[in-house]
Amino acid sequence: MLNTLRRLITEVSAAQNLDETLSIIVKRVKQTIHTDVCSVYLTDPLNEERVLMATDGLLPEAVGKVRLARFEGLVGLVCERAEPINLDNAPEHPRYKYFPETGEEQYSSFLGIPIINHGQTMGALVVQDRRRRRYAEEEVTLLLTLAAQLSGAIAHAQASGRMQNVGQRKRLAGGDKPFRGLAGAPGVAIGIGVVVYAGANLDAVPNRNVTDTDAEVQAFETAVTQVRAEMTQLRSELQHLPAEDRAIFDAYQLMLESDSLIKQTVQKIRRGNWAPGALRETIHEHARVFAGMEDSYLRERAQDIRDLGLRILSRLQTKETAVRTYPQQTILISEELSPSMMMEVPNSHLIAVISARGSGSSHVSILARAMGIPAVMGVDDLPTGDLNDVEIVVDGFQGNLFVRPSAALLREYKRLRKEESSLTADLVNLKDQPAVTLDGYRLPMYANTGLLADVRSSLGHGAEGVGLYRTEIPYMVRDRFPGEHEQAQVYRKVLEEFAPKPVYLRTLDIGGDKTLPYFPISEANPFLGWRGIRISLDQPDIFLVQIRAMLRAAEGLNNLNILLPMITTVEEVVEAQRLIRRVHHEMLEEQQTVLEMPRVGVMIEVPSAVYQIKQIARRCDFISIGTNDLVQYLLAVDRNNRRVAALYDCLHPAVIKAVNDVVEGAHALNKPVSICGEMASDPAAVLLLIAMGLDSLSMNAVNIPRVKWVIRNFSRDHTQRLLEEVLRMDSADLVRRHLNAALENAGLGSLIRAGK
Ligand code: PEP
Ligand code: MG
């Protein structure tokens, strides 16, 4: 059984489009459980109808024609209940609906299994039989397992753009039904799609139209010749290996010489696809043939074909990067967008980003927010392959995107965009105004940064200091640990630029999702592993050098504050403080100059630190709450995992309570509290932070004017009433609605949706 399942999944993953995937499924299922009919019904997202998409057993003409209303018939019942329905005499069931065009009057037995992905019912897998029989438990469980796998495979194929479902075809053809994702960064953009893909991922290669097909064929043939030479070279270098190990290269050579692989790709190029797209199609076709073979040895050859495809692709890409140009209004799209892909686009050309994976807390979203451009993340059914050179509207408020929008929709979004930019211009005027509530409560605004390039522009946005300088960034861009002098130079620039305003330098916070290429850490649970202060205290050599560099950089400026990340225990605070004092003492002795002892604070990012806030606050000078990690650890939700992204919410009542407790605990000991996570720039959350009495907020500098706008339009008194109401609420959803309504009523609705 397991083998059948595995083979089916392999075959499905090599399929080129939805039709092909489904026809493989219905054929194989029918064979495996020896039944008369197997069909797949999928939900058309446009009207929620269940459409017969593939069948082996019913009349083939019925495919695409049989459509049931959302909860109509037995298929509707399966979807409604989201559980299997197993009947030995289906026609007797009150929900049975007869479709003459399928020729199904002859079938008595019916087993329907829902196909569910991320909690959404996508349709049903149905088997039928002439004989009256109840399908056995093993058959039901097999189909359940299969349907669970199948839903993932469909979603994956959709994400890689090789499939278009019913709704997708309509949405791609133009019109105003959006592709829905997660709101990664707010704003509206109208521009042209540019699909990029990670170097070594053949699946993510999009289709792209070319006119100069001769040049494309030439590029492809050159790439093949280069790979052939590479193979010959490799083979000659491996003379010492046994013949069977070298045979793999013979197989590659044979494939490279096989006319079909080359010819078919060339044909596809001649039909107008660019070489990488044509190559992807051919490799998939060939790999699928092997994947479907009974013989396990031959099946493995599918992998060789894909490997070969990758080699040719990487040769083609060398050429591609050289000629890449980006249109003025680039909307950058990828299956899995990375910050480095964004960096390749000239700053002035990049107006929005879209990624099939990721969420609002991925680094791509954080970067987009920092750059002030909209981002839509985690669009499961994003047909990346077909979005090149296409006009797209991105609504980063709602997490929607519209492909080939209608004239009316375009008009509406152009209006919203105009209002957006006039709002931004209005906000710029707030730059030199203080962040003070209507009743006089002043809340300083600091910037989060890690790039020297950002520092000056932070001042331009009205930052009154740097609330979080992520020192790992200077570590990441080197190929070894930076020395004391190198670090001191970087820190000095930041401290000098802002002096006498305060700067909070965070000690090295690697581990989790941030690794250094020259200091690899491999762990099963990196977010629960060797991270932040744990590494610093286990490797005091690294920590001491960093502290020396910080103290040296601050000489004569007196605006240095040191932040300790990922504190879980009181002992960590005590030990870190001891090391800092030691460095200070040694430097005083060495230099005989006046070196101020910096203020040292603790980041509250772990639940244990929330519960021990008083013990911690007693041992440091200030507190800074890192809500990005605090939300992740408090709610047990990985901040980078799209599947659980909907659960990641800083307005969860538990988070609100934790933040409130930290503020109260620290204030009881007269220690100031700041927030340096993304919560500080969420307009709804800001209302609560005002009420709680935070002493400063730190965020990406581009968000400062918006947050200031919120602060300047509310009285602390009003926000305190809101906090009291919210503390009685049970869910993040209710809290957000309540706070958004307050923002709307105060005339600040444009911060939470498109338009003024
Ligand atoms: C945080 O966790 O809230 C934080 C500011 O740190 P980082 O995002 O760098 O983990
Ligand atoms: Mg953190």
Side-chain angles (χ1 to χ4, degrees):
M1 240 9 142
L2 195 59
N3 262 343
T4 316
L5 213 73
R6 269 206 201 122
R7 259 195 30 226
L8 192 67
I9 302 297
T10 318
E11 273 189 77
V12 163
S13 63
Q16 284 284 302
N17 52 46
L18 184 60
D19 294 341
E20 201 175 298
T21 305
L22 298 182
S23 71
I24 296 170
I25 289 162
V26 291
K27 196 166 120 212
R28 289 270 182 249
V29 170
K30 189 180 147 191
Q31 280 170 0
T32 309
I33 68 164
H34 308 289
T35 191
D36 294 326
V37 177
C38 178
S39 315
V40 172
Y41 295 80
L42 289 186
T43 311
D44 183 341
L46 265 191
N47 49 20
E48 305 259 323
E49 282 178 349
R50 320 287 180 191
V51 187
L52 176 65
M53 296 294 290
T55 184
D56 187 346
L58 298 181
L59 296 175
E61 307 81 89
V63 169
K65 296 212 183 79
V66 171
R67 289 178 160 264
L68 293 90
R70 196 161 170 227
F71 294 131
E72 193 181 13
L74 289 173
V75 169
L77 188 65
V78 172
C79 295
E80 182 185 339
R81 291 206 188 149
E83 62 179 8
I85 306 262
N86 188 357
L87 305 168
D88 60 356
N89 191 357
E92 266 187 357
H93 193 281
R95 289 283 285 270
Y96 177 81
K97 183 149 194 287
Y98 168 58
F99 288 92
E101 57 271 48
T102 60
E104 72 174 341
E105 72 272 27
Q106 352 162 22
Y107 304 109
S108 306
S109 318
F110 172 100
L111 169 63
I113 305 281
I115 304 172
I116 302 173
N117 190 41
H118 289 321
Q120 296 266 340
T121 306
M122 302 168 73
L125 177 66
V126 173
V127 289
Q128 291 169 282
D129 214 303
R130 282 191 189 84
R131 287 167 295 158
R132 274 180 74 148
R133 64 148 161 156
R134 260 179 88 77
Y135 288 91
E137 196 168 286
E138 306 84 75
E139 291 168 325
V140 178
T141 49
L142 172 76
L143 292 197
L144 270 173
T145 319
L146 192 64
Q149 293 273 352
L150 169 62
S151 67
I154 290 179
H156 175 77
Q158 282 174 335
S160 62
R162 283 175 293 121
M163 258 177 208
Q164 285 167 28
N165 64 27
V166 198
Q168 251 186 350
R169 277 194 283 258
K170 289 189 186 161
R171 283 178 289 170
L172 273 175
D176 301 338
K177 181 87 183 168
F179 286 93
R180 290 186 195 284
L182 302 163
V188 167
I190 302 168
I192 302 298
V194 175
V195 181
V196 288
Y197 50 97
N201 187 358
L202 195 63
D203 287 353
V205 172
N207 291 330
R208 196 174 281 172
N209 292 334
V210 282
T211 39
D212 190 355
T213 51
D214 284 345
E216 209 61 21
V217 169
Q218 168 92 55
F220 171 68
E221 284 173 347
T222 310
V224 172
T225 313
Q226 285 169 336
V227 173
R228 252 188 222 140
E230 220 175 86
M231 289 296 154
T232 315
Q233 175 69 20
L234 268 175
R235 200 184 191 296
S236 68
E237 282 168 14
L238 298 175
Q239 288 303 337
H240 58 285
L241 287 186
E244 44 297 7
D245 290 349
R246 274 180 285 139
I248 165 92
F249 295 101
D250 297 336
Y252 278 19
Q253 284 291 20
L254 282 177
M255 287 180 215
L256 275 172
E257 269 143 36
S258 90
D259 247 9
S260 53
L261 202 138
I262 314 295
K263 256 196 201 148
Q264 282 175 16
T265 310
V266 170
Q267 272 168 8
K268 291 180 204 304
I269 298 174
R270 295 251 176 256
R271 273 185 241 126
N273 203 353
W274 69 324
L279 174 70
R280 185 208 72 228
E281 279 186 39
T282 315
I283 295 294
H284 277 302
E285 280 166 20
H286 283 248
R288 197 181 52 252
V289 173
F290 282 102
M293 290 183 176
E294 290 291 337
D295 182 283
S296 66
Y297 175 80
L298 287 177
R299 267 206 313 276
E300 288 305 314
R301 303 285 69 78
Q303 193 44 43
D304 296 345
I305 300 241
R306 278 192 279 267
D307 193 18
L308 194 60
L310 273 181
R311 279 177 182 273
I312 304 177
L313 179 69
S314 59
R315 287 292 171 183
L316 282 168
Q317 278 173 336
T318 328
K319 172 211 157 214
E320 206 242 325
T321 16
V323 297
R324 178 113 236 174
T325 52
Y326 293 92
Q328 285 289 337
Q329 307 281 308
T330 294
I331 294 184
L332 197 66
I333 304 167
S334 186
E335 195 181 332
E336 186 147 28
L337 204 62
S338 68
S340 61
M341 290 171 176
M342 288 168 72
M343 293 304 177
E344 271 174 30
V345 188
N347 221 339
S348 57
H349 290 28
L350 186 62
I351 61 161
V353 294
I354 301 170
S355 178
R357 309 233 179 93
S359 71
S361 33
S362 312
H363 282 122
V364 164
S365 300
I366 294 181
L367 198 59
R369 287 195 286 271
M371 293 167 76
I373 57 171
V376 175
M377 309 292 292
V379 193
D380 250 359
D381 57 353
L382 189 70
T384 37
D386 296 292
L387 296 179
N388 244 322
D389 299 327
V390 171
E391 183 166 44
I392 297 172
V393 168
V394 180
D395 179 344
F397 290 97
Q398 307 295 331
N400 286 341
L401 51 115
F402 301 86
V403 178
R404 297 192 184 89
S406 71
L409 189 98
L410 207 53
R411 218 176 303 119
E412 178 60 11
Y413 267 98
K414 280 187 176 156
R415 185 183 64 75
L416 292 173
R417 193 181 51 179
K418 204 161 143 218
E419 288 182 3
E420 262 289 299
S421 34
S422 88
L423 173 70
T424 311
D426 290 351
L427 290 177
V428 168
N429 297 330
L430 287 180
K431 177 180 153 292
D432 299 318
Q433 306 289 325
V436 57
T437 59
L438 296 171
D439 48 0
Y441 165 67
R442 173 100 168 76
L443 191 47
M445 301 279 100
Y446 297 152
N448 286 356
T449 178
L451 293 171
L452 279 180
D454 265 6
V455 170
R456 192 151 297 159
S457 70
S458 303
L459 279 167
H461 287 104
E464 299 167 75
V466 171
L468 168 65
Y469 185 84
R470 293 178 161 106
T471 56
E472 46 284 357
I473 301 194
Y475 280 72
M476 278 174 181
V477 296
R478 289 182 168 69
D479 52 7
R480 59 183 162 77
F481 281 106
E484 181 183 326
H485 183 64
E486 275 173 294
Q487 290 188 54
Q489 277 184 322
V490 177
Y491 305 151
R492 178 82 187 172
K493 286 202 181 105
V494 191
L495 291 161
E496 249 173 8
E497 193 72 54
F498 274 84
K501 298 186 176 97
V503 171
Y504 294 72
L505 298 182
R506 176 171 73 184
T507 62
L508 191 61
D509 185 22
I510 49 169
D513 62 345
K514 288 177 281 191
T515 50
L516 300 175
Y518 48 87
F519 190 65
I521 304 169
S522 170
E523 295 175 319
N525 283 310
F527 275 110
L528 302 182
W530 211 36
R531 244 203 105 171
I533 197 73
R534 299 171 187 179
I535 298 182
S536 294
L537 296 181
D538 285 351
Q539 300 279 153
D541 45 343
I542 301 172
F543 187 66
L544 291 171
V545 169
Q546 184 170 40
I547 299 296
R548 284 181 75 91
M550 288 180 177
L551 295 196
R552 182 189 291 257
E555 227 180 287
L557 295 174
N558 197 17
N559 61 341
L560 169 66
N561 299 272
I562 296 180
L563 255 180
L564 305 172
M566 271 296 285
I567 293 288
T568 316
T569 67
V570 169
E571 288 88 332
E572 287 165 346
V573 185
V574 172
E575 178 60 7
Q577 291 270 30
R578 189 184 69 79
L579 291 173
I580 295 171
R581 269 196 294 272
R582 193 180 108 187
V583 172
H584 181 241
H585 186 71
E586 284 168 7
M587 288 179 79
L588 278 184
E589 282 192 341
E590 284 163 24
Q591 290 178 263
Q592 294 158 356
T593 51
V594 190
L595 256 188
E596 291 281 334
M597 174 70 190
R599 297 189 331 135
V600 179
V602 168
M603 285 188 77
I604 304 294
E605 316 189 78
V606 177
S608 64
V610 173
Y611 287 106
Q612 286 198 294
I613 185 61
K614 287 202 175 152
Q615 290 89 328
I616 289 174
R618 194 171 297 133
R619 292 171 171 87
C620 65
D621 300 308
F622 60 90
I623 292 293
S624 185
I625 311 178
T627 51
N628 301 343
D629 278 313
L630 185 59
V631 172
Q632 131 161 303
Y633 292 126
L634 211 50
L635 305 183
V637 176
D638 177 347
R639 62 196 263 191
N640 294 316
N641 184 342
R642 188 252 171 285
R643 274 204 188 136
V644 289
L647 290 172
Y648 186 100
D649 195 333
C650 67
L651 292 184
H652 187 293
V655 177
I656 297 172
K657 176 143 194 337
V659 172
N660 200 30
D661 288 356
V662 170
V663 178
E664 282 179 2
H667 280 176
L669 292 156
N670 291 322
K671 300 294 162 76
V673 188
S674 172
I675 292 230
C676 62
E678 295 290 311
M679 184 179 192
S681 53
D682 179 330
V686 168
L687 296 176
L688 303 181
L689 303 181
I690 298 171
M692 291 175 194
L694 267 291
D695 300 281
S696 57
L697 299 182
S698 191
M699 66 202 76
N700 283 314
V702 283
N703 292 321
I704 290 179
R706 285 167 188 264
V707 173
K708 233 184 227 183
W709 199 38
V710 175
I711 296 171
R712 291 175 62 86
N713 276 281
F714 278 82
S715 66
R716 176 137 190 247
D717 207 42
H718 182 181
T719 61
Q720 278 169 334
R721 283 197 304 280
L722 287 169
L723 176 62
E724 263 171 45
E725 286 153 8
V726 155
L727 283 174
R728 288 196 293 270
M729 293 180 176
D730 294 339
S731 78
D733 195 36
L734 287 177
V735 173
R736 192 165 291 282
R737 268 193 267 162
H738 194 62
L739 297 174
N740 281 351
L743 288 169
E744 283 282 0
N745 290 340
L748 308 186
S750 53
L751 291 178
I752 45 172
R753 55 164 169 74
K756 235 180 174 177

